[in-house]
């Protein structure tokens, strides 16, 4: 059983959790790690030495004595190794470097044209990550910026077969179907590249940032498209082929049912996504060009835009009610550009309480994702960090 496959209780005190405790300041010594994990000092010491040998932890000096020898303090290195992260959207990409604790070192947002195709888009974004690493004085302190980069995580706004890094039938990415992202990147960088769906990476980033103590959660990404990521037993749950959490093509009863990009009619994405709101407003004669214009109308109290946002919230709530009743998560959080749309959020919340069993919502948290614009690259970085720790 690998680290990625093991259930959460088996992993208590595993390398990943030891690293997280040090990164968050919960532990500063081997003794602290032994106390938190319940493992013997010798076992903790063995795992810590493995992490140190991989450059994931370092000893920073002697701590305060509690009656015996002063313990050696532990820390996550901040002056060397970094991971690269790319959160790709239809029109923009967030690119950054993060240290091994998951803290952002550098980040920037770049315009992209997804229709330019995978080679052009990914080639430019990989070059941007390389430039960020080379331009970071901390990462280049030893004179070798290339050695500082430990891996790159990439979020794709479409279905991804995680095990292979291949994109499968994306609805809004012409020219990307079947493209092997991992193989393309392997020919251009000499570090591991891990690819996943953008909603999964948002879920991982939001969970590690705000709710790492919870075992079960659902995170919705609502922007131009709509999707979700699922956390089960503290781990990102992808399902058999990587499509777990893809709520975008669940059917919502609608009359008339609008056509969806997948070829069916009445899908959640065709009813409640940002692109759907733009299409619906144009159909009502409202001259709106993109999701930014829709949000501006809603903020200004436009009657038509607000009504459509409420309808979208009800549609999202209907699908999530099935998810909540079936999965029984501890938190449902919505992120993406539509997360700040109060009419949508209020309607979603009301529908969840109406359609779910009382036991399922008794302690359920329903909230916005609070991690900001870096939540996607944070998730991408943690994906790489977990891979590096597993190798250790």
């Amino acid at each position: 059983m690998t680290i990625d496959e093991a259930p959460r209780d088996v992993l208590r005190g595993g390398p990943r959790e030891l690293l997280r405790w040090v990164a968050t300041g919960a532990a500063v010594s081997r003794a602290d790690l032994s106390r938190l994990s319940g493992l013997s000092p010798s076992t903790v010491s063995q795992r810590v030495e493995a992490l140190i040998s991989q450059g994931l932890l370092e000893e920073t000096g002697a701590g305060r004595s509690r009656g015996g020898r002063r313990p050696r303090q532990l820390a996550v290195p901040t002056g060397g190794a970094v991971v690269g992260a790319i959160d790709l959207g239809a029109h923009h990409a967030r690119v950054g470097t993060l240290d091994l604790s998951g803290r952002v070192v550098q980040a920037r947002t770049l315009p992209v044209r997804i229709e330019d195709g995978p080679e052009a888009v990914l080639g430019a974004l990989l070059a941007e990550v390389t430039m960020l690493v080379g331009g970071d004085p901390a990462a280049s302190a030893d004179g070798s910026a290339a050695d500082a980069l430990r891996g790159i995580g990439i979020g794709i706004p479409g279905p991804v077969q995680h095990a292979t890094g291949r994109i499968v039938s994306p609805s809004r990415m012409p020219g990307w179907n079947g493209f092997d992202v991992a193989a393309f990147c392997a020919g251009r960088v000499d570090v591991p590249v891990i690819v996943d769906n953008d909603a999964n990476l948002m879920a991982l980033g939001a969970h590690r940032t705000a709710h790492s103590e919870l075992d079960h959660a659902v995170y919705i990404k609502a922007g131009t498209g709509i999707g979700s990521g699922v956390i089960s037993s503290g781990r990102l749950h992808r399902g058999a082929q990587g499509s777990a959490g893809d709520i975008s093509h669940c059917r919502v009863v609608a009359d008339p049912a609008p056509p969806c990009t997948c070829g069916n009619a009445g899908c959640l994405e065709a009813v409640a996504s940002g692109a759907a709101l733009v299409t619906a407003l144009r159909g009502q004669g409202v001259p709106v060009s993109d999701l930014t214009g829709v949000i501006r109308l809603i903020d200004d109290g436009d009657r038509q835009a607000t009504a459509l946002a409420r309808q979208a919230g009800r549609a999202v709530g209907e699908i999530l009610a099935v998810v909540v009743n079936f999965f029984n998560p501890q938190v449902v959080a919505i992120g993406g550009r539509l997360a700040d749309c109060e009419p949508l959020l209020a309607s979603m919340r009301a529908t969840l309480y109406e359609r779910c069993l009382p036991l399922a919502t008794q302690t359920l948290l329903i909230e916005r994702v609070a991690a900001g614009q870096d939540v996607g690259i944070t998730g991408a970085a943690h994906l790489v960090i977990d891979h590096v720790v597993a190798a250790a």
Side-chain angles (χ1 to χ4, degrees), residues 126 180-193:
L126 288 173
D180 192 334
V181 178
F184 174 82
C185 295
R188 286 157 178 77
V189 293
D190 294 325
V191 294
V193 175

Side-chain angles (χ1 to χ4, degrees), residues 35-95:
R35 173 176 51 81
L36 288 169
S37 66
L39 297 174
S40 68
S42 60
T43 299
V44 168
S45 182
Q46 183 182 38
R47 295 180 180 181
V48 166
E49 290 301 326
L51 291 170
I52 290 175
S53 70
Q54 292 289 320
L56 302 174
L57 285 179
E58 65 181 3
E59 293 179 325
T60 59
R64 180 180 299 177
S65 173
R66 296 182 179 178
R69 188 171 57 183
R70 297 174 67 189
R72 287 173 291 176
Q73 288 189 299
L74 299 170
V76 175
T78 57
V82 295
V83 295
I86 297 170
D87 183 19
L88 177 62
H91 305 292
H92 297 87
R94 187 72 172 166
V95 178

Side-chain angles (χ1 to χ4, degrees), residues 18-40:
L18 298 184
L19 180 65
R20 181 172 62 83
W21 280 329
V22 175
T24 60
V28 296
S29 68
R30 290 171 173 79
D32 290 340
L33 292 174
S34 182
R35 173 176 51 81
L36 288 169
S37 66
L39 297 174
S40 68

Side-chain angles (χ1 to χ4, degrees), residues 2-4 11 15-17 19-20 51 56 83 99-102 162 194 201 204-205 208 231 234-236 238 378-392:
T2 67
I3 284 182
D4 283 334
L11 291 175
R16 190 184 310 174
E17 193 162 24
L19 180 65
R20 181 172 62 83
L51 291 170
L56 302 174
V83 295
D99 65 25
L100 295 179
S101 70
H162 175 70
I194 306 177
L201 296 189
L204 186 60
R208 295 284 177 88
I231 301 293
R235 298 179 298 124
L236 188 61
R238 298 185 179 90
T378 298
H382 278 289
L383 201 65
V384 175
I385 293 166
D386 287 350
H387 174 82
V388 173
V389 172

Side-chain angles (χ1 to χ4, degrees), residues 96-110:
T97 56
L98 298 89
D99 65 25
L100 295 179
S101 70
R103 287 188 290 263
V104 176
V105 177
Q106 295 188 86
R108 62 186 61 173
T109 299
L110 303 171

Side-chain angles (χ1 to χ4, degrees), residues 87 196-212 217-221 227-232 234-237 244-245 331 333-336 369 371 375-380 382-383:
D87 183 19
D196 211 331
N197 171 262
D198 62 341
N200 279 347
L201 296 189
M202 188 201 74
L204 186 60
H207 194 72
R208 295 284 177 88
T209 302
H211 293 298
S212 61
V218 176
Y219 296 91
I220 303 94
K221 184 171 185 179
S228 74
V230 178
I231 301 293
S232 178
R235 298 179 298 124
L236 188 61
H237 177 72
V331 59
I334 182 169
V369 170
V375 64
I377 61 171
T378 298
H382 278 289
L383 201 65

Side-chain angles (χ1 to χ4, degrees), residues 338-374:
L338 285 175
D340 292 328
C341 177
E342 189 58 41
L344 185 148
L345 186 62
S347 185
M348 182 193 83
R349 181 182 285 113
T351 304
L352 274 173
Y353 282 123
E354 176 188 345
R355 299 293 181 91
C356 292
L357 295 170
L359 182 60
T361 57
Q362 192 173 51
T363 60
L364 178 67
L365 297 173
I366 305 173
E367 61 187 31
R368 292 185 179 92
V369 170
Q373 65 178 339
D374 288 333

Side-chain angles (χ1 to χ4, degrees), residues 65-357:
S65 173
R66 296 182 179 178
R69 188 171 57 183
R70 297 174 67 189
R72 287 173 291 176
Q73 288 189 299
L74 299 170
V76 175
T78 57
V82 295
V83 295
I86 297 170
D87 183 19
L88 177 62
H91 305 292
H92 297 87
R94 187 72 172 166
V95 178
T97 56
L98 298 89
D99 65 25
L100 295 179
S101 70
R103 287 188 290 263
V104 176
V105 177
Q106 295 188 86
R108 62 186 61 173
T109 299
L110 303 171
V112 299
R113 285 169 39 91
I114 205 76
E115 61 271 22
D116 287 344
E119 291 94 345
V121 172
L122 291 173
L125 295 177
L126 288 173
E128 187 70 23
V129 170
T130 302
M131 188 181 73
L132 286 177
V133 175
D136 176 22
S140 304
D142 62 355
S144 178
D147 292 340
L149 185 64
R150 304 298 294 270
I152 300 173
I154 301 177
I156 300 292
V160 174
Q161 192 174 50
H162 175 70
T164 64
R166 190 180 294 274
I167 301 173
V168 182
S169 300
S171 59
R172 299 180 185 277
M173 303 175 69
W176 291 69
N177 182 40
F179 189 76
D180 192 334
V181 178
F184 174 82
C185 295
R188 286 157 178 77
V189 293
D190 294 325
V191 294
V193 175
I194 306 177
V195 188
D196 211 331
N197 171 262
D198 62 341
N200 279 347
L201 296 189
M202 188 201 74
L204 186 60
H207 194 72
R208 295 284 177 88
T209 302
H211 293 298
S212 61
E213 78 284 358
L214 300 181
D215 290 324
H216 310 294
V218 176
Y219 296 91
I220 303 94
K221 184 171 185 179
T224 301
I226 191 165
S228 74
V230 178
I231 301 293
S232 178
S233 298
R235 298 179 298 124
L236 188 61
H237 177 72
R238 298 185 179 90
Q241 298 295 326
S243 67
D246 189 352
I247 60 174
S248 57
H249 301 293
C250 293
R251 193 173 193 278
V252 180
V253 176
D255 188 24
C260 182
T261 54
C262 71
N264 290 318
C267 297
L268 182 63
E269 183 169 297
V271 174
S273 68
L277 295 180
V278 171
T279 299
L281 282 170
R282 286 176 178 171
Q284 295 178 13
V286 179
V288 62
S289 60
D290 54 22
L291 181 53
T292 299
V294 174
I295 294 173
R296 187 179 300 117
L297 287 172
I298 294 170
D299 289 342
D300 290 341
D302 179 85
R303 177 178 57 83
Q304 292 167 286
T306 301
L308 286 172
R310 289 196 178 111
Q311 291 174 18
R314 280 194 294 273
V316 174
E318 287 176 5
I319 297 300
L320 287 180
V322 178
V323 174
V324 169
N325 281 330
F326 178 80
F327 180 55
N328 190 202
Q330 294 155 296
V331 59
V332 169
I334 182 169
R337 297 186 66 196
L338 285 175
D340 292 328
C341 177
E342 189 58 41
L344 185 148
L345 186 62
S347 185
M348 182 193 83
R349 181 182 285 113
T351 304
L352 274 173
Y353 282 123
E354 176 188 345
R355 299 293 181 91
C356 292
L357 295 170

